[in-house]
Amino acid sequence: MTRPLLLAAALLLGVAGAYTVKPGDTLYSIARAHGTTVAEITRLNGLKNTSLEVGQTLRLPGETAPQTPAPAAPPPSTAAPAPTPLPEPVPVGTAQVAGLTVTAPTSLRMGDAFVLRLSGPRAGQATVRFPSEVGEDVRRPDEWLTPTGAAGEYVVLGRVVLGKTTPVVYEIKVGGDQVRGSIPVTGLTQTIQYLNLPPSISGKLQDPGRKAEEAIVERAYTRRTPQAWARPFQPAVNVRAQSSAFGQPRTYVAGGPVQYHYGTDYPAPTGTAVTAVNDGTVVVAGKYPVRGGLVIIDHGAGLTSLYFHQSRVTARVGQKVRRGDKIGEVGSTGLSDGAHLHLEMRVRGEATNPAGWVNRIWPR
């Protein structure tokens, strides 16, 4: 039975507006397809978060209330036009429209950075966004992005926020054509780490200077500058060991809230050189209550690297650094109970796994 006939049957049975969740659906894709909003679907169904389950039934605006006759349909001449449906998401992998080929990962994990690869004579005209970010705890969700590249080969950086296991949906426009795709996401399987920091350290979370620290870091996340690097990323310290992994759920004090670890910790003796993971511009350099000795490098294309807890910061704001340049020294400043470097790789402000960048020009 075709979709119009199914809809007509549903209307006759008094369940207009009911929708059954299918694989790959998100609240945003359902809202767009039915001419409504994520907020309205959330309100109608009393949803507490954006997670959906295949087979779940959702009420949509216009659903007939129980035992209440449905209002008469308006005359054809005055009825509002139906919203133009968006293209259905294509299977993961490769999709094409005239003059443009889009290649996407086949699967992702929460905390991954990834790229969509655009090729063909029209690739340089494309713009990209990730509508599945709407309703998620991310900075500037659904932002229209301009891919970086040249000569018919372009990429745009994507991010999977920690805590997300619903599919990533992307939308690419070039001229009057549009491509949509959906990439499945899996979670991380890490046990909670209980740090139980002493008051002498955990008290820094209430430091009066923390608000100013957060504002400075957030400003760094808003930068949108051209790509500055052309070589693979390298480690920030010459050590292999890790003391706390990326994405680790943890508590800082007994009974405190569980939070994700947004970077990777590398233990090393105080004074060990900290080096830039790649070319870029230093946008923050100084001492702060929680992050301690901090350097932030803007690499362009929405990517920043952050280096916490340094005993000595040698980089200067505005300095152009090259991959491997010394920017500071390992320490145990800020919210830290031992000498180590905490490294973060942020895509448009959201934490991604540093391991996905090492020895690569772009993540997968």
Side-chain angles (χ1 to χ4, degrees):
M1 183 179 292
T2 64
R3 181 168 179 159
L5 290 177
L6 284 172
L7 180 58
L11 288 167
L12 290 172
L13 291 172
V15 292
Y19 180 82
T20 301
V21 176
K22 303 187 297 296
D25 278 341
T26 65
L27 284 178
Y28 180 80
S29 66
I30 295 170
R32 287 291 299 269
H34 292 84
T36 185
T37 65
V38 170
E40 183 64 8
I41 296 177
T42 299
R43 183 190 67 81
L44 283 173
N45 295 275
L47 301 178
K48 302 300 183 184
N49 53 53
T50 60
S51 297
L52 297 175
E53 295 182 1
V54 175
Q56 179 180 354
T57 300
L58 298 175
R59 289 183 61 194
L60 299 177
E63 180 173 357
T64 306
Q67 300 179 348
T68 301
S77 58
T78 61
T84 302
L86 291 170
E88 289 296 319
V90 298
V92 293
T94 302
Q96 289 183 313
V97 296
L100 174 67
T101 298
V102 180
T103 304
T106 56
S107 64
L108 294 166
R109 299 179 72 187
M110 69 164 67
D112 275 353
F114 66 95
V115 292
L116 298 179
R117 300 182 183 276
L118 284 62
S119 59
R122 300 174 71 197
Q125 306 165 29
T127 54
V128 181
R129 66 178 178 178
F130 296 92
S132 55
E133 293 180 341
V134 173
E136 295 179 351
D137 184 18
V138 298
R139 297 162 178 84
R140 298 174 69 171
D142 203 24
E143 176 184 356
W144 279 108
L145 304 168
T146 301
T148 184
E153 297 292 335
Y154 291 79
V155 299
V156 65
L157 269 173
R159 58 195 181 179
V160 185
V161 66
L162 284 168
K164 175 187 175 67
T165 55
T166 54
V168 167
V169 175
Y170 60 84
E171 184 175 311
I172 301 172
K173 288 186 177 180
V174 54
D177 294 324
Q178 184 172 319
V179 175
R180 300 182 77 234
S182 178
I183 310 170
V185 175
T186 58
L188 303 177
T189 56
Q190 296 169 306
T191 58
I192 297 176
Q193 184 182 38
Y194 299 97
L195 296 180
N196 296 332
L197 297 175
S200 59
I201 298 175
S202 63
K204 295 177 182 179
L205 292 170
Q206 283 74 49
D207 190 291
R210 188 179 180 190
K211 183 176 180 180
E213 175 182 344
E214 295 303 322
I216 288 169
V217 173
E218 288 295 328
R219 281 199 296 273
Y221 295 154
T222 65
R223 293 174 62 90
R224 299 293 183 268
T225 56
Q227 177 188 350
W229 77 94
R231 295 177 294 170
F233 286 78
Q234 68 171 40
V237 286
N238 189 24
V239 298
R240 293 181 178 273
Q242 299 179 12
S243 56
S244 191
F246 171 81
Q248 182 95 44
R250 52 167 36 178
T251 63
Y252 290 97
V253 296
V258 176
Q259 301 175 338
Y260 287 110
H261 188 224
Y262 292 115
T264 301
D265 289 348
Y266 300 94
T270 297
T272 301
V274 176
T275 59
V277 295
N278 218 324
D279 302 352
T281 301
V282 176
V283 294
V284 175
K287 293 287 185 70
Y288 297 93
V290 174
R291 295 170 179 85
L294 171 67
V295 172
I296 301 180
I297 299 175
D298 173 24
H299 301 284
L303 178 67
T304 50
S305 58
L306 293 81
Y307 313 76
F308 292 17
H309 309 310
Q310 296 177 84
S311 61
R312 180 168 173 250
V313 170
T314 59
R316 305 179 310 278
V317 172
Q319 178 183 353
K320 303 290 185 182
V321 293
R322 301 294 300 269
R323 183 185 69 165
D325 285 352
K326 182 178 178 179
I327 58 174
E329 296 175 0
V330 169
S332 185
T333 56
L335 190 71
S336 170
D337 64 350
H340 70 285
L341 175 71
H342 171 100
L343 173 68
E344 293 185 2
M345 300 292 291
R346 297 255 181 173
V347 173
R348 298 188 299 282
E350 305 307 322
T352 65
N353 192 342
W357 291 91
V358 176
N359 297 325
R360 298 171 179 267
I361 295 178
W362 296 98
R364 67 194 185 108

